[in-house]
Amino acid sequence: MPRAAASGPAGAEERDASRPAARTPALPLSRLLLSGTVVGSVLSAFGSHWALAVSSAWLPVYLQTQLDLTASTASVALSAVSVLSLLLLLTVPALVDRRKRRGRAGRATDGLAQGAAVLVSGAALALLPFAGQRAAQLVLVAVAFAAHAVAIPLHYVTAAAVVPAARRGAVFGVVAATGTLPGMFVPYLTGRLVDSATSEAAGYSTAFLLSAAVMAVCGAVAMLAIRPDRDARALGGEG
């Protein structure tokens, strides 16, 4: 004689356990990409790569033609910028990670660090055309073209924190393509501004002020928009 089906709470639990788990429908890619944290991360990367594109294509020429540095002295200045950038990359992300491990993650840890890095670089670039002394100019060059690098690793970290693991490949592809766009047109744009100005100095001033404005907007929006805890709850990420 077949055994009667279990009844009551225990029987209900057995029947629920035997059913396949319902799959949570995947969020549309557009919703993931338009979340505040992902948008802020893309903008911080965009601003950082804008400065990187300017420095890669035009900083060596600027140092020699506008600051009157010799080729060897310009090489030393470029090396100093690279060293400062490396030091910031080794220290700031490590401090952010330490803060997270101590349970202090959030806006101050994730958004402010990368947004402020781009904003500080933009501010230094905006001041550069108005600096009169050589020492001040070199300090501003170092800050403008080194501080922004902090945003490059951090923007992937914040995007990963809010995007479910199954969708990170697609999101990272879009984030990488969008964030690195300045490399495609900024060197040409800078060259056009320099060539079309009444003088090279005026052209560099216009190019630097435009770059500073773009970086200021990107950095400020990143600082305001990046909210990993909030967006992770909404999107099913790790937080």
Side-chain angles (χ1 to χ4, degrees):
M1 181 176 180
R3 189 178 67 176
S7 59
E13 290 177 3
E14 290 179 3
R15 289 192 296 272
D16 290 341
S18 64
R19 295 174 185 170
R23 290 185 177 181
T24 303
L27 292 173
L29 184 60
S30 59
R31 183 177 175 187
L32 296 173
L33 294 173
L34 293 176
S35 69
T37 297
V38 174
V39 170
S41 299
V42 168
L43 287 176
S44 70
F46 189 91
S48 180
H49 280 92
W50 188 293
L52 182 61
V54 172
S55 64
S56 298
W58 289 100
L59 184 55
V61 179
Y62 175 80
L63 292 175
Q64 294 184 62
T65 62
Q66 302 304 306
L67 300 190
D68 297 324
L69 300 184
T70 63
S72 59
T73 308
S75 298
V76 172
L78 291 171
S79 298
V81 172
S82 298
V83 169
L84 177 58
S85 177
L86 179 61
L87 289 175
L88 291 172
L89 283 172
L90 291 175
T91 55
V92 176
L95 291 174
V96 170
D97 183 65
R98 182 181 303 174
R99 186 179 178 91
K100 285 184 175 183
R101 284 189 277 109
R102 291 179 178 178
R104 298 176 183 175
R107 177 187 175 190
T109 300
D110 297 285
L112 295 186
Q114 59 189 284
V118 176
L119 196 58
V120 168
S121 285
L125 202 54
L127 293 173
L128 183 56
F130 307 104
Q133 297 182 349
R134 179 71 54 80
Q137 290 172 331
L138 291 175
V139 169
L140 289 172
V141 164
V143 174
F145 296 112
H148 69 88
V150 170
I152 294 178
L154 289 180
H155 88 278
Y156 281 111
V157 174
T158 50
V162 302
V163 177
R167 307 302 302 276
R168 285 177 191 163
V171 171
F172 280 3
V174 176
V175 168
T178 308
T180 57
L181 274 177
M184 299 179 62
F185 67 88
V186 169
Y188 171 78
L189 175 61
T190 303
R192 290 288 295 175
L193 292 172
V194 172
D195 290 341
S196 61
T198 55
S199 66
E200 281 193 7
Y204 279 111
S205 295
T206 301
F208 288 168
L209 291 174
L210 173 62
S211 299
V214 172
M215 293 167 67
V217 171
C218 290
V221 174
M223 293 170 70
L224 295 172
I226 294 175
R227 296 288 190 279
D229 293 342
R230 175 201 64 191
D231 291 336
R233 288 192 297 268
L235 302 176
E238 296 178 357

